[in-house]
Amino acid sequence: MEKIKAVMTAALSALMARLGILAVPVFLMVACNIIDYATGLAAAGCRSEKIESYKGLRGIIRKICMWLLVLVGSLIDILIRYTVECAGIGISVPFLVATVVAVWIVVNEMISILENITATGVRMPPFLMPLVRRIRRQIEETADIAEPAGKEGDGEDGRK
């Protein structure tokens, strides 16, 4: 048992060291994914909805796609880091885009969890949902990069 514990501790430590600033948001995201899925099942039961395996599978696929969004953010960060290194600029570039994506996902999952808990009949503190929605708005406003005029809806090659 001690060997298993040591291996798990070493693996988790290596993963956290590799993820750096991305570690906490990613672990929070996975925890929120699990909690949201569980509270979604509970809310479905309280709403007298039929719990279907297709809906459950679709929910799991959505959670996996959230992880893929963080991966895409990481790839953007790696591309930026590579570009900075090739340009000879001596700065360290953390997983900034991936971290913002992960935090945004965590906040959205928190909103969904709160909605699910409310659907089960639990009374919500009146400040909680507005607080979480405000955090989401602040993340979106901070990370907002407006499209140049006339560019919305353009494909990769500039065609609509």
Side-chain angles (χ1 to χ4, degrees), residues 102-122:
V103 169
W104 182 83
I105 290 170
V106 167
V107 172
N108 277 301
E109 290 288 84
M110 286 179 181
I111 290 170
S112 180
I113 291 165
L114 294 175
E115 289 170 348
N116 291 338
I117 290 172
T118 301
T120 65
V122 174

Side-chain angles (χ1 to χ4, degrees), residues 7 65 78 85 109 111 116 120 126 133 139:
V7 168
C65 287
I78 291 167
E85 288 174 8
E109 290 288 84
I111 290 170
N116 291 338
T120 65
R133 285 193 171 130
I139 292 166

